[in-house]
Amino acid sequence: MSETPDATPAGATRAPLARHGIQRSPSPLAQILTVLGAMVAVVAVSVGAVGAFYVWDAAQALDRNSVSIGEESLPPSIGEIEGGVNLLVVGTDSCEGANAELSKACKAGTTAGERNDVTMLVHISDKPRRVTVISFPRDMIVPIPSCPTGDGGSYSAMSAQMLNSSYMYGGLACSVLTIEELTGVDIQYAASIRWTGVINMSDAIGGVDVCVADDIKDKHTGLKLKKGNHTLVGKQALQFLRIRHGIGDGSDLGRISNQQQFMSSMVRKLQSDGVLANPAVLFNLATTAVAQVQSKQLVLSDTLTNPQRMVQIAMAVKSVPYKDIVFVQYPTVYAPGGGRVLPVTQAATVLFDALEENKEIKLTGSASQGYGVEVVGEAEQPDPSSTASPSATGTPTKSPTPSGTSTPKPTETAVDLPTQIAGQTAADVTCTQAQR
């Protein structure tokens, strides 16, 4: 442990990161990419022949099942969102309904409540557009602020609790408030997804390709994979996202990097495999997303239920280069005795300052704080002209190449992140490592 974590003063705040241009009331697309994928799906569906009715029906379903985290006026028009976006996405461990069959603890009756096992903050910068996804360890000890109970009351604040207890105490709104207090970032949008929701959404996009450097086996999730490449769908995709025993150092830190491999691969699939140019796939994705909301497997904040807003956010991220989509782990050190981790706020400040100033960031640390993955190659960015215009059958066709040359952009000096911050870009091809 090269650095002692410094405490974040209670009530300390940071200037909001690149807030969007729509005025707010003064009152207070796996996981993340499934949400962003649903947003992109709404883009395609909204311009199709069945778009008008579908978007209206979807809006009603989304609005009826939303969670309030603040107020926001409706977007005035369809177009790329102005300014930046901060979106919190959490994955929860509910034992309700079909979810119970996916967990040994649920079936054994040894767990209660619903926790945020996965917590990710998605920051989409103002122009130039960049996407940074910050994963927060579930076992990190943090202050939890006073959170609303949902019936007009409030829970008492707590000074030191595991992050994953925030959802159990106060649901999605409490997880938002907890991350806001930890980072000082203003979060405008939020979503949570349960296990069955992850399964259904991964099926809707046709599976995700992953790489395994060694044979892995985990009795807790039931996942067994041989060394090599695999296309994961359904329950197996969920098992891959949940696995921690049997990979890396067996901790949640290794699991985070495993999830980042999955999300990076999903980004590449969405951009290069014709998913975004295939109306049938997009419609299925959007339909599945709305169905997950109606069955309460996917919960959205009230600020995210407006289809126009989804379109605006999707338009801001659909063409971001691989190198500018960065997945990082919030920096931590192990607490005395191990098992829990503590935030290293000094290193985190470098990251959030760079995001606030919309500067390019450069990873200098390893791909994983928990030795969960290794970088084995670099993905080639797809040619935008090959997927720009879908044909009537949904097959990508090449668009004309514009004449002339663009004006070279001035060279930007990237911010080197501290080595305590692990992660990868969407350009990095990584493989999961067995536990050592």
Side-chain angles (χ1 to χ4, degrees), residues 200-265:
N200 293 328
M201 293 302 293
S202 65
D203 285 349
I205 66 169
V208 175
D209 298 331
V210 300
C211 170
V212 178
D214 316 278
D215 293 352
I216 59 174
K217 180 180 180 181
D218 174 32
K219 65 179 181 180
H220 298 277
T221 62
L223 180 65
K224 298 179 182 178
L225 290 177
K226 292 291 186 180
K227 176 181 178 179
N229 298 315
H230 303 267
T231 299
L232 304 183
V233 295
K235 181 179 179 181
Q236 200 172 40
L238 176 66
Q239 291 172 326
F240 187 82
L241 290 167
R242 291 184 59 212
I243 188 173
R244 60 187 291 184
H245 303 284
I247 64 170
D249 63 0
S251 75
D252 186 48
L253 303 181
R255 175 166 63 176
I256 285 175
S257 56
N258 207 48
Q259 293 165 350
Q260 290 175 341
Q261 182 203 163
F262 187 95
M263 292 186 292
S264 293
S265 179

Side-chain angles (χ1 to χ4, degrees), residues 360-380:
E360 181 182 0
I361 56 176
K362 180 181 178 182
L363 294 165
T364 65
S366 64
S368 171
Q369 285 186 320
Y371 313 105
V373 299
E374 62 178 344
V375 179
V376 297
E378 183 175 350
E380 182 179 350

Side-chain angles (χ1 to χ4, degrees), residues 205-422:
I205 66 169
V208 175
D209 298 331
V210 300
C211 170
V212 178
D214 316 278
D215 293 352
I216 59 174
K217 180 180 180 181
D218 174 32
K219 65 179 181 180
H220 298 277
T221 62
L223 180 65
K224 298 179 182 178
L225 290 177
K226 292 291 186 180
K227 176 181 178 179
N229 298 315
H230 303 267
T231 299
L232 304 183
V233 295
K235 181 179 179 181
Q236 200 172 40
L238 176 66
Q239 291 172 326
F240 187 82
L241 290 167
R242 291 184 59 212
I243 188 173
R244 60 187 291 184
H245 303 284
I247 64 170
D249 63 0
S251 75
D252 186 48
L253 303 181
R255 175 166 63 176
I256 285 175
S257 56
N258 207 48
Q259 293 165 350
Q260 290 175 341
Q261 182 203 163
F262 187 95
M263 292 186 292
S264 293
S265 179
M266 185 183 289
V267 166
R268 296 192 293 267
K269 180 181 179 105
L270 289 173
Q271 288 196 10
S272 65
D273 287 359
V275 173
L276 301 184
N278 190 323
V281 174
L282 288 171
F283 187 81
N284 183 43
L285 182 60
T287 302
T288 302
V290 172
Q292 301 318 298
V293 173
Q294 291 174 320
S295 64
K296 300 188 183 302
Q297 301 308 305
L298 175 62
V299 177
L300 303 177
S301 65
D302 52 359
T303 54
L304 196 57
T305 58
N306 177 9
Q308 285 183 302
R309 175 61 75 214
M310 289 187 178
V311 171
Q312 289 189 315
I313 296 174
M315 292 180 73
V317 303
K318 63 185 179 67
S319 300
V320 177
Y322 289 168
K323 69 179 182 63
D324 291 328
I325 302 176
V326 185
F327 301 91
V328 299
Q329 300 181 44
Y330 188 95
T332 61
V333 292
Y334 278 101
R340 304 288 181 262
V341 293
L342 302 173
V344 182
T345 57
Q346 183 176 342
T349 295
V350 178
L351 168 64
F352 287 106
D353 282 349
L355 298 184
E356 183 179 345
E357 297 170 14
N358 197 9
K359 292 183 177 180
E360 181 182 0
I361 56 176
K362 180 181 178 182
L363 294 165
T364 65
S366 64
S368 171
Q369 285 186 320
Y371 313 105
V373 299
E374 62 178 344
V375 179
V376 297
E378 183 175 350
E380 182 179 350
Q381 186 77 35
D383 180 2
S385 64
S386 67
T387 58
S389 303
S391 67
T393 62
T395 303
T397 58
K398 290 203 172 190
S399 300
T401 301
S403 60
T405 58
S406 59
T407 303
K409 295 181 180 180
T411 302
E412 179 183 0
T413 301
V415 173
D416 289 341
L417 297 181
T419 56
Q420 295 99 325
I421 299 179

